[in-house]
Amino acid sequence: MDNNNMIEQLRLLPAGMFGPLDLGFAGFVCRSTGYPDNFPLFLGAALACNAAAVRKHTCIDLKELSGDLNCWFTDLSDIVEDESIVREQLAAVIIPERFRQQLLKAENALGVPQGNKVPFKPLILDGSLLYICRDYLSERKLAALMLDFCRGEEHPAEVKMGSITRISPFFNVMTKRPDWQQLAVAAALRNRMTVISGGPGTGKTTVAAAITALLLEQNPELKMSLCAPTGKAQARLQESVKSQFAGFDCSDEVKALMDNLPVSTIHRLLGSRPGSTSLKYNEANQLNLDVLIVDEASMISQRLMKALFAAIPTHCKIILLGDMQQLASVESGMVLKDFCQATGQNRFSEDFINGCKKCFSTEDILPEPAASKDDTLADCVIELRENHRFSSERGLGLAAAAIRALPEKSTKAAVTRLVKAMRGDDTGEISLEKLPSWQNQAFEQTVRQYFKGLQVESKGEKRYFTEYLKEASVRKAYEMFNKFRFLCVHRRGFYGVGNLNKIIERSMYGISGGREFYPGKPLIINENCHAMRLYNGDTGMVWQDENGNLKAFFPPLEEGAEFRRFELGVLPSFSPAYALTVHKSQGSGFQQVLIITPDKESPLMTREMIYTAITRAEKRAVIWSSPELLAEALKTPTSRCSNLRNALINR
């Protein structure tokens, strides 16, 4: 089969495989560089684009491609119904022999880095890794910026003996192990860049609040800001950090400064412009900041993280808070995990430990130094290991800790034991139940029964969840509704968010779908609308105003303000929010969650997916799944092709 026919074979594959963007980019690369009929180049460009846009890789490893296109499209469950026909079509598209050598012949389209020199070509081939040029440059720039902050001249804050212990009542609990929270505060005061990682309940926001208090005590004029990747995460950061202030041992003046700290999304901080990809703040026009604290860093894509670091002045302290075990960004890259794996967690130099001895109490237990003073990446990543919300010996805490402790490559026996422990939990905090069958409406009936019988804790008593509809105000109804959420792995399909939301609407209101509005309908925004200050992931509720008219109400942007109200007809794209995907739930917390997995293997069923889902629960997580599928998911960590980790280690 000649080159033109092979290219045509790619174009004839079913929708959901190579999309218009992949094929359009591949065609553009071939035509614009003078290789219109070059099949290896067309295939390489289509794969690189598909990897970045759909699979969220920053590159592809050509060594992992062989045979035919079945090696790339390993799972077709969400794409086609008749898999056998498509498998035959994929088998007809042969991966070129000596693929790398074939690509190197297209010199006009492909650049090969030589040291620090990178040819500006549409595609970049670094060893066996094939990139879109933009992603390669972004990865290299981000690695350089991060290393510059790690290497930068230290401006350690002067901390008096015992002041870290003093600032928060949560610190200085006498134990026979290090207080990782205090060490995290010490690292942030000392370093220009610090990553504080840990699961829910390990005290990341307590640490962030303590850092702000100690820095403002020393210099009330500091220009400090807090930010998060989404509006929802921003609101939660604002609420959780400010809730710490009352118990802190610091002056009222410092508390007032803390209370007025600006909190925003990263896009708003950088001056994102509607309808434009350019940002107001960048490398040429940097932010006027001395300290920046960034929450939910695991959700930040490589490109956005690069833009953020480029806009930060060299003297600024940057503190990233996040959980490296959570799901990665919905865009390409997994920056937080790559950085943490490159540095190692809780690896401290002797200089750092000696510095801690000067500001900690003499009784504090400190870890032994494990890195040399010349190690650029030492002292930068602190993993908080003590859970203050759950006991790590039972229920949710035990399950979360056990998942975090799984090695990258776990045995089937290890994950099976974990699933068995989750099934046998007797605390009521976590429950694994059989996924109801879709046949004979069994799933729909079970969902209805669960929803109508669900009870949550409100004001110290058990109440039926559906009573949120009886609340006197939208604020109280919204607070009650946020005590529970259905979480789904998939957006589409029988066990997906779309179908589940339809089931709930039919069950409660007899509504068959569409944009019908009724009091109490929860909403989630699906696209950014800068003019209305409504952003993807923001949640609200339809409610009656004082005149009895239905409006869309969303939480205020400022603490203590009234709920914002909007006319229903002008809302940006939205969906019902009885059920969310696990991805959409990141940055949120609910008293209870019900997690619904698919009934067969799926590439979305990963360890990070399950961990993120169960850690959204504060009191109880119920999982509807088969034990076998759950075990396979826990055995499968998320894999995204990236070279950021090596770029950090080897520069």
Side-chain angles (χ1 to χ4, degrees):
M1 192 178 290
D2 62 29
N3 279 340
N4 279 329
N5 284 335
M6 292 291 278
I7 291 174
E8 191 60 27
Q9 284 287 109
L10 290 182
R11 296 187 186 279
L12 293 175
L13 289 173
M17 304 186 81
F18 287 121
L21 178 63
D22 308 326
L23 298 173
F25 175 73
F28 167 77
V29 169
C30 290
R31 289 191 306 274
S32 64
T33 56
Y35 307 100
D37 303 324
N38 188 314
F39 169 68
L41 179 61
F42 189 96
L43 177 62
L47 287 170
C49 186
N50 183 262
V54 179
R55 306 190 181 203
K56 314 308 178 186
H57 303 309
T58 55
C59 56
I60 57 173
D61 192 342
L62 298 180
K63 291 188 295 186
E64 296 181 358
L65 299 176
S66 62
D68 56 54
L69 266 189
N70 280 297
C71 73
W72 182 254
F73 294 103
T74 56
D75 183 86
L76 301 176
S77 57
D78 280 349
I79 299 175
V80 294
E81 292 185 4
D82 191 346
E83 188 169 322
S84 60
I85 295 176
V86 178
R87 288 291 175 201
E88 291 180 10
Q89 290 177 273
L90 293 171
V93 184
I94 306 300
I95 302 293
E97 290 186 17
R98 299 167 59 84
F99 197 0
R100 184 177 185 278
Q101 286 72 19
Q102 295 271 19
L103 286 170
L104 286 170
K105 295 177 182 178
E107 296 178 355
N108 296 341
L110 192 84
V112 178
Q114 301 293 333
N116 290 326
K117 295 182 179 179
V118 183
F120 194 72
K121 304 288 179 67
L123 298 175
I124 301 294
L125 186 59
D126 189 358
S128 64
L129 301 178
L130 181 65
Y131 292 81
I132 296 173
C133 182
R134 175 188 59 186
D135 290 331
Y136 182 78
L137 295 174
S138 173
E139 184 177 272
R140 284 175 64 100
K141 182 65 175 179
L142 177 58
L145 288 168
M146 285 183 146
L147 285 169
D148 284 347
F149 273 87
C150 292
R151 291 174 179 147
E153 182 182 352
E154 295 172 8
H155 298 286
E158 295 181 8
V159 182
K160 296 179 181 178
M161 174 70 76
S163 58
I164 294 179
T165 299
R166 165 187 60 80
I167 198 71
S168 171
F170 296 105
F171 296 167
N172 199 30
V173 177
M174 293 303 296
T175 64
K176 295 182 179 180
R177 54 185 176 272
D179 187 329
W180 301 111
Q181 286 184 302
Q182 291 191 56
L183 285 161
V185 175
L189 295 178
R190 177 180 184 268
N191 302 338
R192 279 181 57 211
M193 176 177 173
T194 308
V195 173
I196 302 170
S197 179
T202 53
K204 295 188 294 295
T205 50
T206 301
V207 167
I211 292 165
T212 61
L214 288 166
L215 288 173
L216 289 170
E217 274 190 337
Q218 296 167 53
N219 183 1
E221 303 299 320
L222 276 177
K223 298 178 181 67
M224 189 182 301
S225 186
L226 288 76
C227 67
T230 66
K232 182 167 51 180
Q234 168 211 327
R236 197 161 187 227
L237 171 66
Q238 189 168 13
E239 178 185 351
S240 54
V241 169
K242 289 188 176 182
S243 68
Q244 306 288 334
F245 298 165
F248 274 15
D249 183 6
C250 57
S251 68
D252 290 340
E253 289 76 13
V254 168
K255 289 181 181 180
L257 289 170
M258 293 169 72
D259 199 46
N260 290 314
L261 284 175
V263 186
S264 70
T265 64
I266 297 174
H267 286 95
R268 286 205 291 273
L269 178 75
L270 295 178
S272 174
R273 298 182 175 99
S276 171
T277 57
S278 66
L279 300 167
K280 178 181 178 181
Y281 295 101
N282 49 50
E283 199 165 14
N285 180 37
Q286 294 184 318
L287 293 159
N288 184 20
L289 283 177
D290 301 310
V291 181
L292 178 64
I293 298 176
V294 186
D295 197 19
E296 297 291 354
S298 67
M299 298 171 65
I300 306 174
S301 69
Q302 178 175 287
R303 290 177 200 163
L304 183 57
M305 191 73 87
K306 189 268 292 183
L308 180 64
F309 269 79
I312 301 171
T314 54
H315 71 272
C316 183
K317 283 183 181 291
I318 181 165
I319 300 146
L320 303 180
L321 311 175
D323 186 349
M324 61 175 283
Q325 303 291 347
Q326 277 193 28
L327 285 167
S329 162
V330 295
E331 297 179 29
S332 60
M334 46 195 307
V335 176
L336 185 70
K337 189 170 186 177
D338 282 341
F339 186 82
C340 290
Q341 288 182 337
T343 61
Q345 293 83 58
N346 300 343
R347 289 177 56 255
F348 303 115
S349 65
E350 187 172 358
D351 283 354
F352 176 79
I353 297 301
N354 288 337
C356 288
K357 289 176 181 177
K358 296 177 182 178
C359 60
F360 282 24
S361 300
T362 54
E363 299 86 1
D364 287 320
I365 297 171
L366 298 173
E368 291 296 321
S372 72
K373 64 179 181 180
D374 300 322
D375 188 338
T376 301
L377 298 176
D379 311 326
C380 290
V381 178
I382 293 82
E383 181 183 30
L384 304 180
R385 296 174 175 173
E386 188 76 18
N387 199 306
H388 303 278
R389 185 183 302 167
F390 306 113
S391 166
S392 59
E393 299 176 356
R394 59 194 290 272
L396 281 169
L398 176 61
I403 295 174
R404 291 180 68 87
L406 287 172
E408 193 76 6
K409 294 183 178 179
S410 295
T411 64
K412 183 176 181 180
V415 294
T416 301
R417 283 195 299 271
L418 176 52
V419 171
K420 185 177 180 180
M422 292 165 69
R423 293 181 73 183
D425 177 68
D426 59 1
T427 65
E429 291 182 3
I430 191 163
S431 174
L432 175 57
E433 301 175 8
K434 183 180 178 181
L435 179 68
S437 169
W438 57 268
Q439 295 175 317
N440 300 320
Q441 296 188 317
F443 177 71
E444 182 164 343
Q445 290 172 6
T446 308
V447 168
R448 287 178 176 180
Q449 291 169 1
Y450 190 94
F451 191 74
K452 291 181 177 179
L454 175 67
Q455 290 186 318
V456 295
E457 291 182 23
S458 178
K459 300 174 183 177
E461 63 179 5
K462 290 277 189 180
R463 296 179 61 194
Y464 283 103
F465 175 67
T466 52
E467 291 181 10
Y468 79 88
L469 294 166
K470 300 178 181 178
E471 293 289 355
S473 69
V474 66
R475 183 185 294 273
K476 292 181 178 178
Y478 184 78
E479 289 173 357
M480 176 92 168
F481 182 81
N482 277 330
K483 294 182 182 297
F484 170 78
R485 201 70 94 244
F486 290 103
L487 300 181
C488 301
V489 171
H490 283 181
R491 188 160 51 92
R492 293 187 292 267
F494 196 84
Y495 295 106
V497 163
N499 188 45
L500 197 59
N501 278 321
K502 289 177 183 177
I503 289 173
I504 299 300
E505 288 199 315
R506 283 197 301 266
S507 172
M508 292 190 66
Y509 302 99
I511 292 172
S512 59
R515 289 175 64 98
E516 293 91 343
F517 297 105
Y518 47 86
K521 178 172 184 172
L523 308 173
I524 183 165
I525 298 298
N526 296 326
E527 63 183 20
N528 294 334
C529 179
H530 298 275
M532 299 173 71
R533 301 181 77 181
L534 290 175
Y535 298 91
N536 186 10
D538 286 355
T539 56
M541 183 172 285
V542 177
W543 203 257
Q544 290 180 326
D545 65 13
E546 57 274 8
N547 298 317
N549 299 317
L550 290 181
K551 298 285 176 66
F553 288 82
F554 284 82
L557 297 175
E558 302 295 334
E559 189 176 5
E562 293 295 318
F563 266 53
R564 297 175 292 156
R565 62 181 70 188
F566 302 92
E567 295 294 335
L568 298 173
V570 301
L571 288 175
S573 172
F574 66 89
S575 302
Y578 298 104
L580 304 176
T581 60
V582 178
H583 263 110
K584 285 277 193 180
S585 74
Q586 281 187 276
S588 298
F590 310 100
Q591 190 183 102
Q592 299 183 44
V593 297
L594 172 58
I595 302 156
I596 299 175
T597 74
D599 60 345
K600 55 186 176 182
E601 290 186 7
S602 161
L604 295 182
M605 282 286 283
T606 63
R607 182 183 302 171
E608 289 80 4
M609 180 69 74
I610 302 304
Y611 174 82
T612 303
I614 68 171
T615 54
R616 298 311 90 205
E618 297 169 357
K619 291 185 178 293
R620 177 171 166 78
V622 178
I623 307 171
W624 285 0
S625 180
S626 79
E628 295 76 21
L629 274 177
L630 188 60
E632 188 60 32
L634 293 171
K635 191 171 176 288
T636 310
T638 298
S639 177
R640 287 188 177 179
C641 193
S642 160
N643 202 39
L644 179 62
R645 178 181 175 183
N646 289 332
L648 289 164
I649 293 172
N650 297 325
R651 287 182 64 125

